[in-house]
Amino acid sequence: MHCGPPDMVCETKIVAAEDHEALPGAKKDALLAAAGAMWPPLPAAPGPAAAPPPVPGPQPHGDTGGAGPPEGRGVCIREFRAAEQEAARRIFYDGILERIPNTAFRGLRQHPRTQLLYALLAALCFAVTRSLLLTCLVPVGLLALRYYYSRKVILAYLECALHTDMADIEQYYMKPPGSCFWVAVLDGNVVGIVAARAHEEDNTVELLRMSVDSRFRGKGIAKALGRRVLEFAILHNYSAVVLGTTAVKVAAHKLYESLGFRHMGASDHYVLPGMTLSLAERLFFQVRYHRYRLQLREE
């Protein structure tokens, strides 16, 4: 069973932290100014809050500072600290759990063949039993099975993720060159996460693990996290940022498009880590995998 974040066919010429620190300050400023000009300013988040102090010492991965400028009043996007491991895992875990009912019920609309199969099963039940009551119970039973298998697969996926990259964020994302992990901090609390991971095939960086605490959504935090990954990619001279998602909610796809990503296609044959591909699982669990790409420069 393959665990961890989905593999994407991407690559980058990784710029080491010490190489980036050698960049002239004017060049850094020009790159960041260009990045800021690509996206309109975020709406201010309500309520004042003090930004946490910057991390002392040199910054890994060539980030622009320990705390960085707030992305809207009171919200700070900065690099992950080891003490925030459990907070980051909790936000990731809660965000993925939300996908269980979305995949089971709302996701069914994306799979017309499955809808047709379920309708045929209901029709077959009526043809055999001539009972309206039993026929009406067929959709209820099918939806219950969809929820059961969605929960089973997504919990298995979580188990994989929590024992691979999310088991040690510092080791997996903060130490390797070309990778980084950021947190959104509001009123001293971690309320959002996002990661970036470099690849070596086509000079791109992958956006991963974006999630915002459900209590703090609607404040522009997810967009601020996405922008930080894009700034990271520009500073490190990547040609594009890519991501893959099985999200069902339209809002997630609108977020990617608002950041400038283009939808590159979708597949109904994606194997989510944790899937066993049993016949019952194929009947009652389906996901659609979407690929997005934001081209920063031509190779």
Side-chain angles (χ1 to χ4, degrees):
M1 181 185 298
H2 172 68
C3 299
D7 291 329
M8 306 265 309
V9 181
C10 341
E11 178 204 44
T12 184
K13 176 185 176 183
I14 299 174
V15 180
E18 56 270 20
D19 296 333
H20 173 67
E21 290 301 325
L23 287 174
K27 185 174 180 181
K28 286 186 188 179
D29 294 342
L31 286 169
L32 286 173
M38 291 175 65
W39 310 287
L42 294 172
V55 180
Q59 296 301 316
H61 314 292
D63 206 353
T64 56
E71 311 286 343
R73 190 173 61 188
V75 180
C76 169
I77 310 296
R78 60 165 171 75
E79 289 187 2
F80 167 84
R81 299 170 183 173
E84 295 158 343
Q85 172 82 19
E86 288 309 312
R89 282 165 57 94
R90 175 188 58 80
I91 291 172
F92 170 72
Y93 185 89
D94 292 346
I96 296 297
L97 278 187
E98 292 178 12
R99 297 194 179 186
I100 294 175
N102 289 332
T103 302
F105 307 133
R106 296 173 64 175
L108 182 57
R109 293 180 295 182
Q110 298 179 344
H111 302 280
R113 291 183 180 179
T114 303
Q115 294 178 44
L116 178 60
L117 175 62
Y118 292 174
L120 289 174
L121 289 174
L124 179 62
C125 176
F126 181 75
V128 171
T129 66
R130 297 295 175 179
S131 168
L132 284 175
L133 177 60
L134 289 176
T135 302
C136 290
L137 289 175
V138 168
V140 176
L142 292 172
L143 289 176
L145 285 168
R146 284 187 64 84
Y147 183 85
Y148 171 80
Y149 279 98
S150 293
R151 186 175 185 276
K152 177 176 178 289
V153 173
I154 289 173
L155 287 178
Y157 167 76
L158 273 171
E159 186 72 11
C160 283
L162 292 174
H163 285 84
T164 50
D165 63 308
M166 295 302 291
D168 190 344
I169 296 170
E170 181 80 20
Q171 182 68 32
Y172 196 92
Y173 289 109
M174 302 306 294
K175 291 185 178 179
S179 298
C180 198
F181 196 100
W182 296 268
V183 294
V185 179
L186 180 64
D187 295 335
N189 298 312
V190 175
V191 298
I193 59 172
V194 73
R197 185 177 64 174
H199 297 271
E200 297 185 357
E201 288 79 28
D202 59 1
N203 198 33
T204 61
V205 65
E206 185 180 2
L207 185 154
L208 295 158
R209 302 311 193 203
M210 182 187 284
S211 186
V212 175
D213 190 313
S214 60
R215 298 169 295 176
F216 299 94
R217 291 174 188 165
K219 301 179 185 293
I221 295 173
K223 184 172 284 190
L225 288 164
R227 286 181 179 178
R228 182 52 56 96
V229 175
L230 303 187
E231 291 169 2
F232 175 84
I234 291 171
L235 276 172
H236 290 73
N237 205 32
Y238 298 121
S239 63
V241 181
V242 298
L243 67 88
T245 182
T246 58
V248 174
K249 288 184 177 179
V250 174
H253 298 274
K254 287 185 175 179
L255 168 65
Y256 305 139
E257 292 169 359
S258 73
L259 286 167
F261 284 90
R262 289 182 55 196
H263 188 254
M264 304 302 292
S267 171
D268 291 333
H269 304 292
Y270 177 71
V271 179
L272 190 73
M275 292 179 67
T276 63
L277 300 179
S278 66
L279 177 60
E281 200 173 85
R282 291 173 183 270
L283 283 173
F284 301 113
F285 179 82
Q286 301 89 27
V287 289
R288 178 164 291 176
Y289 183 70
H290 299 266
R291 294 177 293 107
Y292 284 88
R293 183 183 183 94
L294 195 162
Q295 192 72 32
L296 298 173
R297 62 181 177 81
E298 296 299 327
E299 285 293 277

